[in-house]
Amino acid sequence: MTSNKHAREAFVWIWLPGETQPVVAGKLEVDGRYIHFNYGKSYLERVRDKNPAIPIYEPELPLKPGELPLLPGLEMPGCIRDAAPDAWGRRVIINKLLGLKGNGIDTTELDELTYLLESGSDRIGALDFQHSSSEYLPRSAINVPLEELLMSADRVEKGIPLTPELDQALFHGSSVGGARPKALIENSGKKFIAKFSSTNELYSVVKAEYIAMRLASLAGLSVAPVRLVHASNKDVLLIERFDRIPVKNGWTRKCMVSCLTMLGLNDMTARYASYEEFAEIIRHRFTEPKKTLKELFSRLVFNILCGNTDDHARNHAAFWNGKELTLTPAYDICPQGRAGSMASQAMKIKGDNNLSQLKFCLEAAYHFLLSKEDALSIFEHIEDIIREYWHEVCEEAQLSTIDKNHLWGRQFLNPFAFEE
């Protein structure tokens, strides 16, 4: 079903913990430039059920009747925006609805509710959006070979309308965030996000991300499992999804919220996000706070040492069970291109400073309940792992000598990270 250009309302459906089928939670309504949410009466009355209602996310959307106020500075609830498509998914939807305009059109041509209602239903987390409050109609597609998905991704990048055969396959993955071409696939009882090479890349970004994710795992970080495969003479990175659990009669879904939502920020104010504030939230609201703080600090250090400067607040997330938060495995650890030696992280590290240097991690260590000695030990361990396994993991990825020379010392272990 194709929505009109400007949707005015949408119903929010949620998979409660352990359930394989969704229930309607409430309704989104447009009021000028704002989108408000209120819970449905039937959902609020689930208090005595075997699987009672949970807040979509607290403190943002507590279980209360009536229209819930937006947090200051937000035009829609952050936990709802987390389930919306980002740059790539929006391009797919624009291509689907507007055809040839897809390559250069402004993504504001369509409104937020339309993006929610037109994107695929197997989106990250445990929410979906429907025109109906009583009938759930999933927007999904059967598995399609990677070769065909690559063809359709290439057409979207060129602004060519998708053929009917390829349309649904790529559209199925339009709810996944990020700017690079990707799709959702299922194989051998597991679900994956498939990331493709882009036509304008100067080096193999897919292989660089695989190498970073593998090295992060070898360093002892909690990361999503990855595989590198080939289709149509192109590299494809498969990242195993951790928000889906297979059970006897289907799949359960895990609720998730981004760090951006936890900080009460949106895409316009994301530049104010900081690791220090995120650490504060972890200390008070997360399961296993001390262990989680060390994990987050280690991820920050690894991001700096592998050249991943795209560590923005949407690239950190937590599972939400209705009462508390638990850090998800790391994902989207992708070394970014850089022209010179200097680089900056997407989130602030210490105060207003976000330079990609370990000295600022050292200054911020106490926010993570780490001593100076703890921090230095983490620096040394991660650097040692990168040096020890670099050649082995590059061989796994069949990385070319040119790309290997391009990444080493520029993205991975750039001297700028170690200054002072």
Side-chain angles (χ1 to χ4, degrees), residues 149-214:
L149 290 171
L150 284 162
M151 289 170 57
S152 58
D154 186 56
R155 293 174 73 90
V156 169
E157 286 203 287
K158 293 177 180 177
I160 302 171
L162 294 172
T163 62
E165 294 79 16
L166 298 177
D167 188 339
Q168 280 301 109
L170 202 66
F171 166 66
H172 180 41
S174 61
S175 54
V176 184
R180 285 166 49 208
K182 56 182 66 67
L184 300 176
I185 65 170
E186 184 177 334
N187 185 40
S188 301
K190 295 180 179 180
K191 294 198 175 194
F192 299 90
I193 296 172
K195 289 188 175 182
F196 310 133
S197 302
S198 185
T199 55
N200 59 355
E201 291 173 353
L202 300 178
Y203 61 95
S204 180
V205 175
V206 163
K207 287 185 176 180
E209 183 169 356
Y210 171 83
I211 290 166
M213 294 283 281
R214 285 281 293 117

Side-chain angles (χ1 to χ4, degrees), residues 28-330:
L28 295 167
E29 290 185 284
V30 175
D31 178 15
R33 64 189 180 96
Y34 299 102
I35 298 176
H36 293 281
F37 174 80
N38 64 278
Y39 286 106
K41 183 180 178 183
S42 63
Y43 188 72
L44 291 173
E45 290 175 347
R46 293 181 62 94
V47 290
R48 296 183 183 86
D49 284 26
K50 178 183 176 183
N51 205 346
I54 64 170
I56 292 176
Y57 177 60
E58 276 188 322
E60 188 172 45
L61 295 180
L63 283 176
K64 295 181 179 179
E67 184 178 281
L68 298 173
L70 293 166
L71 296 181
L74 300 188
E75 295 184 358
M76 68 184 297
C79 57
I80 299 295
R81 175 59 181 85
D82 282 343
D86 281 341
W88 170 252
R90 291 174 189 238
R91 287 184 65 185
V92 174
I93 292 167
I94 287 171
N95 186 295
K96 177 181 172 69
L97 298 183
L98 304 177
L100 283 171
K101 291 183 178 181
N103 192 41
I105 197 170
D106 184 353
T107 55
T108 59
E109 181 77 11
L110 300 176
D111 61 283
E112 286 297 329
L113 283 196
T114 297
Y115 283 123
L116 292 174
L117 288 165
E118 289 290 342
S119 48
S121 291
D122 202 12
R123 66 189 74 240
I124 302 300
L127 299 181
D128 195 21
F129 306 90
Q130 299 279 311
H131 291 279
S132 171
S133 63
S134 58
E135 183 181 16
Y136 180 76
L137 299 173
R139 299 176 299 280
S140 58
I142 59 172
N143 262 353
V144 170
L146 282 172
E147 289 82 1
E148 294 186 32
L149 290 171
L150 284 162
M151 289 170 57
S152 58
D154 186 56
R155 293 174 73 90
V156 169
E157 286 203 287
K158 293 177 180 177
I160 302 171
L162 294 172
T163 62
E165 294 79 16
L166 298 177
D167 188 339
Q168 280 301 109
L170 202 66
F171 166 66
H172 180 41
S174 61
S175 54
V176 184
R180 285 166 49 208
K182 56 182 66 67
L184 300 176
I185 65 170
E186 184 177 334
N187 185 40
S188 301
K190 295 180 179 180
K191 294 198 175 194
F192 299 90
I193 296 172
K195 289 188 175 182
F196 310 133
S197 302
S198 185
T199 55
N200 59 355
E201 291 173 353
L202 300 178
Y203 61 95
S204 180
V205 175
V206 163
K207 287 185 176 180
E209 183 169 356
Y210 171 83
I211 290 166
M213 294 283 281
R214 285 281 293 117
L215 287 171
S217 177
L218 289 166
L221 276 65
S222 172
V223 301
V226 292
R227 289 167 50 194
L228 196 61
V229 298
H230 304 278
S232 298
N233 296 316
K234 289 187 177 182
D235 300 308
V236 181
L237 179 67
L238 300 183
I239 304 175
E240 188 175 333
R241 293 184 64 173
F242 45 71
D243 62 333
R244 297 291 184 269
I245 307 296
V247 293
K248 186 176 181 180
N249 57 338
W251 296 83
T252 64
R253 305 190 180 197
K254 303 187 77 168
C255 295
M256 285 173 51
V257 291
S258 71
C259 173
L260 197 67
T261 291
M262 291 179 244
L263 294 171
L265 301 173
N266 60 21
D267 293 308
M268 298 299 293
T269 56
R271 63 187 181 277
Y272 299 117
S274 79
Y275 278 98
E276 290 176 301
E277 288 185 46
F278 190 20
E280 179 76 13
I281 293 171
I282 289 172
R283 287 199 298 272
H284 293 96
R285 302 196 58 211
F286 273 63
T287 58
E288 300 186 279
K290 188 171 178 64
K291 178 182 176 182
T292 302
L293 287 167
K294 183 180 179 181
E295 171 73 19
L296 179 64
F297 185 83
S298 299
R299 292 183 190 183
L300 167 58
V301 171
F302 187 86
N303 283 334
I304 289 174
L305 294 184
C306 81
N308 175 32
T309 54
D310 193 37
D311 57 339
H312 56 79
R314 284 206 187 281
N315 278 344
H316 299 281
F319 298 121
W320 165 251
N321 64 7
K323 295 180 180 179
E324 54 193 357
L325 296 157
T326 302
L327 194 67
T328 71

